[in-house]
């Protein structure tokens, strides 16, 4: 009986994150696919894809969090912001992967401001 309560508590804590994890995983996969198919600005795309790939480890760590931590609204809000940033990165890569000559005009400061 106690085991069932514990399992139910964990499932209830993780439940809101399941959709978010699926969304983040889909965005990460889409970003990597766009970068692999990029016609132009491959270095910029690859650099962003590498950084996005690092976040996969964070998703795995989220699954290991304790129930009490997952119920914290700060984690949930941060995860939503993470998805928002992934969407912006995907849109940015979609735009620049097909723009020839972008590298001549783009500066590192612009990229930093857009994603920091």
């Amino acid at each position: 009986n106690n085991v069932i309560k514990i399992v139910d508590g964990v499932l209830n804590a993780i439940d809101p994150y399941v959709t978010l994890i699926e969304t983040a995983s889909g965005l990460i996969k889409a970003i990597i696919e766009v970068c692999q198919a990029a016609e132009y600005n491959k270095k910029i795309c690859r650099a962003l894809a590498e950084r996005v790939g690092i976040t996969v480890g964070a998703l795995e760590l989220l699954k290991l969090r304790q129930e009490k931590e997952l119920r914290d609204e700060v984690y949930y809000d941060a995860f939503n912001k993470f998805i928002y940033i992934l969407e912006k990165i995907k849109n940015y890569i979609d735009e620049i992967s097909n723009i020839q000559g972008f590298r001549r005009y783009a500066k590192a400061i612009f990229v930093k401001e857009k994603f920091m």
Side-chain angles (χ1 to χ4, degrees):
N1 209 3
N2 284 339
V3 173
I4 293 172
K5 288 181 183 179
I6 292 171
V7 170
D8 282 344
V10 170
L11 291 176
N12 288 335
I14 293 175
D15 195 42
Y17 290 92
V18 172
T19 304
L20 296 177
I21 290 171
E22 289 173 357
T23 302
S25 297
L27 285 167
I28 291 168
K29 183 180 176 186
I31 289 168
I32 292 170
E33 287 173 355
V34 169
C35 288
Q36 289 173 344
E39 294 178 33
Y40 303 102
N41 305 306
K42 292 180 182 186
K43 286 183 181 179
I44 294 171
C45 291
R46 187 173 46 244
L48 288 170
E50 286 173 1
R51 284 159 179 79
V52 167
I54 292 169
T55 64
V56 172
L59 289 177
E60 292 301 318
L61 288 174
L62 179 66
K63 295 175 187 175
L64 299 175
R65 293 281 180 191
Q66 294 182 5
E67 172 191 350
K68 186 174 107 179
E69 292 174 326
L70 291 176
R71 290 183 187 271
D72 190 350
E73 191 174 328
V74 173
Y75 278 104
Y76 190 78
D77 292 342
F79 205 91
N80 277 310
K81 184 175 180 180
F82 171 65
I83 289 175
Y84 173 75
I85 297 294
L86 286 176
E87 289 171 345
K88 289 189 68 99
I89 290 171
K90 183 189 175 301
N91 292 338
Y92 182 72
I93 289 175
D94 282 340
E95 290 175 15
I96 68 162
S97 65
N98 294 312
I99 299 175
Q100 186 176 14
F102 174 81
R103 195 144 165 57
R104 280 181 267 167
Y105 304 105
K107 295 184 180 191
I109 295 170
F110 173 74
V111 175
K112 181 180 177 184
E113 287 175 359
K114 186 156 180 117
F115 298 110
M116 293 303 214

